[in-house]
Amino acid sequence: MRLQLSSRVLTRYGPLSMRLGLINRCFRWIADAWLIVSVHVDGFRAGPAAYLTATKWWILGKRVRARGQFAPLLSRAPRAYTLWSRRETLRYSDRLKDCRQPPIVALVATGPALADTLQSLTAEGVPAFLVGDNHIDGIMAAAVAIDWTAAPWVLPMRAGERLAPGAVAAYQSAMRATEAAVIYADDDRLDRWGRRTTPHFKPDWNSELFRHFDYLTGACIVRANQADVVAVAGQPDWDVRLITAAIGQGNVDHLRRMLHHRPTRHQPIAAARLATATNLPLVTVIIPTRNRLDLLRTCLAGVANTHYPEIEVIVVDNDSDDVETLDYLAALDPARARVMRYAGPFNYSAINNRAVGKARGKLLCLLNNDIEMLAPDWLAIMATQALREDVGAVGAQLLYPDGRIQHAGVVVGVGNAAGHAHRFLRPEEQGYFRRHALPQFTAAVTAACLVVRRDRFLVVGGLDEQNFPVAFNDVDLCLRLNQRGWQSLYEPRAVLIHHESVSRGNDSDPAGAARFAGELAALKRIWKTDEIVDPFHHPHLSRAAEQFCVAI
């Protein structure tokens, strides 16, 4: 009888459920297609000429170039993040399983939209303890009420913030696999209608960036005990203090998932003027050059006007044959600049390595001859940072002559190689959470203007003359320094103009293109740049664009 009933039910409802499922899939497909079309229409409106150019490259099969031009256009479309969120891969079948191991408890500051926050926590099985205007009473009451014997993690929140479905399962999985004191996740903004906007796909832990931009508070959990919670009772910004104290006690892990939706965020703080070190050591500035006296004269004048205790300048002449340039080099005062000769094909790595062998400075400054100084303190700022124990290569903010950014750090993996972060952005623009304006650790910096300790440069073997004679030698150097624990640092308070590739030209000739292809292949072979994700970038940011764009 049961078998007959089951068969009858299956016969009657099976085909209907299949048809309903098919209809639902069709509606989802139509909705996705409509979103894609809308995003492309918005992208075209934002930049018709750029959109048509990208389309041309796509039709011609230049897919990498096309993606690089499409990415910033499409990511700025109002519905781009909606499209991304529909494709979001956060799916936890065990969403509410094992929600007590390890346990999470929330400390919630009261305020508008508190009910939304509590409903979100209830859905995720997280007990909430309210912290009202009287921080002392609320936090002390929570410290007494929480069962600390279960070693819970603390989730500081403010009214109006919500957890994404599956957030607890994601956090608990990370908690079981780490010894960190803080785990943070990505977040987005909730607008006045509750729609998700402005996603923040965050870098992995970047202590230098955190000095200027609190991107953890409101989107993290903390390994804390009763004493830690009691210590922040009655303190303003108790949540910030709780997190900062935890950072000082252990490592910080980044969970690369969109787990928090928030009505407000902490904003980046403009970097204050850097107090430069006293007793700055001798720095050797190395300038390779070939002809182009107009550029070299400007560069050397900028170095001469630099405010720095003692500078040694080495100009490396690579087969200049312009009479005026040769006369200028011959007339240079040796006390102002020494001239070395390097004959043969241009090999940036070999040229600098030879000069380093003659350098006396504790610090090295690799400097292109097409760099123009804007302020006299640039070198003191970079040298101060390069003298830190945790820092390797230091790079400046470089601008094109029209004022747009040419270099604000290097992102490894862009274009499956490496790209200059925030290129073509104007310094006064908001950009991606003002990252272009904030000092921070980066995967690499450009050697167009790079300062590094001489002993560290030599320990890692200098620049690679064989694999990277012209391109990517700076990326390779920085990555080797990073491996030793000397992290690359981008310093936007040192600002210079870079007349990029004016003196060397481009690589459109067959020989140059072949050389570049070999250097690109070497970068991929040695550093797997076509596979890795830069720890200071994000897998959900486009690898096709140097501006930080949502990957759609």
Side-chain angles (χ1 to χ4, degrees):
M1 180 67 180
R2 181 176 300 173
L3 180 61
Q4 290 177 346
L5 181 60
S6 299
S7 177
R8 197 175 300 132
V9 169
L10 180 62
T11 303
R12 181 175 179 180
Y13 294 104
L16 177 59
S17 63
M18 291 175 62
R19 287 197 296 271
L20 290 175
L22 180 61
I23 291 171
N24 285 334
R25 285 194 295 273
C26 287
F27 275 121
R28 285 197 299 269
W29 183 88
I30 292 170
D32 284 347
W34 173 250
L35 265 178
I36 292 170
V37 171
S38 300
V39 167
H40 276 269
V41 169
D42 291 340
F44 175 78
R45 289 174 175 169
Y51 187 94
L52 292 175
T53 300
T55 303
K56 178 191 74 172
W57 292 124
W58 186 270
I59 293 172
L60 293 176
K62 304 291 186 180
R63 299 300 170 87
V64 173
R65 185 177 299 180
R67 289 191 186 101
Q69 296 189 13
F70 270 130
L73 289 172
L74 302 183
S75 70
R76 286 194 289 266
R79 286 163 284 199
Y81 183 51
T82 303
L83 176 60
W84 179 89
S85 60
R86 284 181 66 87
R87 298 172 172 177
E88 193 172 359
T89 57
L90 180 60
R91 300 186 185 95
Y92 280 102
S93 59
D94 61 340
R95 175 182 161 195
L96 293 179
K97 289 183 181 178
D98 198 24
C99 279
R100 299 188 184 90
Q101 297 299 325
I104 298 175
V105 298
L107 292 179
V108 184
T110 58
L114 177 62
D116 293 338
T117 301
L118 297 180
Q119 182 180 11
S120 165
L121 291 169
T122 300
E124 288 294 299
V126 177
F129 299 87
L130 301 184
V131 179
D133 294 334
N134 188 335
H135 297 162
I136 296 179
D137 292 346
I139 291 178
M140 292 300 293
V144 172
I146 293 172
D147 179 12
W148 296 105
T149 61
W153 287 60
V154 176
L155 167 64
M157 294 184 73
R158 292 186 177 269
E161 298 175 347
R162 307 175 194 171
L163 290 179
V168 166
Y171 270 131
Q172 287 176 331
S173 178
M175 291 154 61
R176 290 191 287 264
T178 186
E179 295 298 324
V182 179
I183 305 174
Y184 67 96
D186 304 326
D187 62 48
D188 56 25
R189 283 283 307 275
L190 295 171
D191 66 14
R192 58 187 298 185
W193 296 282
R195 295 176 303 195
R196 294 168 54 188
T197 65
T198 324
H200 190 185
F201 296 111
K202 303 174 183 179
D204 287 352
W205 176 235
N206 193 322
S207 58
E208 187 69 20
L209 177 63
F210 186 72
R211 294 185 187 191
H212 311 278
F213 181 20
D214 180 359
Y215 60 94
L216 269 62
T217 302
C220 70
I221 59 173
V222 178
R223 193 193 297 268
N225 56 35
Q226 188 178 46
D228 297 327
V229 172
V230 169
V232 300
Q235 299 290 330
D237 295 325
W238 57 268
D239 46 356
V240 178
R241 294 173 183 269
L242 182 66
I243 294 163
T244 303
I247 290 171
Q249 297 172 7
N251 295 329
V252 181
D253 282 355
H254 177 205
L255 184 54
R256 296 170 173 174
R257 293 192 180 277
M258 187 61 65
L259 301 184
H260 297 265
H261 313 308
R262 312 170 61 189
T264 60
R265 288 189 180 114
H266 286 260
Q267 295 301 309
I269 301 172
R273 183 180 179 87
L274 181 67
T276 55
T278 57
N279 301 319
L280 287 165
L282 172 67
V283 60
T284 299
V285 178
I286 300 171
I287 308 173
T289 194
R290 174 182 168 86
N291 296 325
R292 295 310 305 262
L293 177 57
D294 54 333
L295 297 172
L296 179 62
R297 183 185 283 119
T298 299
C299 181
L300 286 176
V303 173
N305 292 325
T306 295
H307 294 170
Y308 194 89
E310 188 177 6
I311 301 175
E312 174 190 48
V313 179
I314 300 178
V315 177
V316 188
D317 177 35
N318 180 213
D319 290 339
S320 291
D321 53 12
D322 171 67
V323 175
E324 190 176 2
T325 300
L326 292 172
D327 289 345
Y328 176 83
L329 292 174
L332 276 177
D333 182 355
R336 177 186 174 192
R338 273 194 293 153
V339 178
M340 287 180 54
R341 307 291 177 181
Y342 181 90
F346 180 79
N347 185 319
Y348 183 86
S349 297
I351 288 171
N352 280 281
N353 286 344
R354 299 300 181 277
V356 170
K358 302 293 184 180
R360 297 183 295 111
K362 179 178 179 178
L363 295 175
L364 304 173
C365 174
L366 309 187
L367 191 67
N368 281 17
N369 68 343
D370 55 359
I371 294 292
E372 180 181 347
M373 291 71 187
L374 295 177
D377 61 349
W378 65 276
L379 186 55
I381 291 171
M382 297 178 72
T384 296
Q385 297 286 38
L387 290 170
R388 289 169 43 177
E389 288 301 317
D390 56 341
V391 171
V394 179
Q397 181 181 99
L398 302 183
L399 306 178
Y400 287 111
D402 66 4
R404 293 180 300 167
I405 289 175
Q406 186 264 339
H407 169 269
V410 170
V411 178
V412 174
V414 166
N416 290 331
H420 287 186
H422 316 288
R423 198 206 290 257
F424 303 128
L425 191 71
R426 291 201 171 274
E428 66 272 14
E429 293 180 318
Q430 175 66 24
Y432 192 74
F433 298 95
R434 296 289 296 169
R435 287 275 296 274
H436 63 284
L438 303 177
Q440 62 202 271
F441 291 126
T442 56
V445 293
T446 180
C449 180
L450 180 154
V451 176
V452 64
R453 281 176 48 167
R454 182 173 180 271
D455 56 352
R456 293 180 177 176
F457 180 91
L458 294 174
V459 163
V460 299
L463 297 172
D464 187 335
E465 304 174 17
Q466 302 303 317
N467 290 304
F468 306 107
V470 178
F472 304 124
N473 40 55
D474 43 11
V475 176
D476 173 71
L477 171 69
C478 289
L479 293 176
R480 284 184 279 122
L481 288 165
N482 296 347
Q483 284 184 329
R484 296 290 188 114
W486 303 318
Q487 191 64 47
S488 304
L489 186 140
Y490 163 61
E491 179 46 86
R493 289 168 289 196
V495 185
L496 306 97
I497 294 176
H498 185 200
H499 302 269
E500 184 186 31
S501 298
V502 170
S503 58
R504 182 170 59 85
N506 57 40
D507 296 322
S508 59
D509 64 285
R515 174 195 50 74
F516 180 82
E519 291 167 324
L520 177 59
L523 189 71
K524 292 179 179 178
R525 182 183 73 252
I526 296 171
W527 295 107
K528 310 298 182 186
T529 56
D530 53 344
E531 302 174 11
I532 65 172
V533 174
D534 188 318
F536 305 120
H537 202 238
H538 197 288
H540 289 311
L541 293 174
S542 174
R543 295 171 66 91
E546 291 173 306
Q547 295 184 22
F548 287 30
C549 307
V550 177
I552 55 172

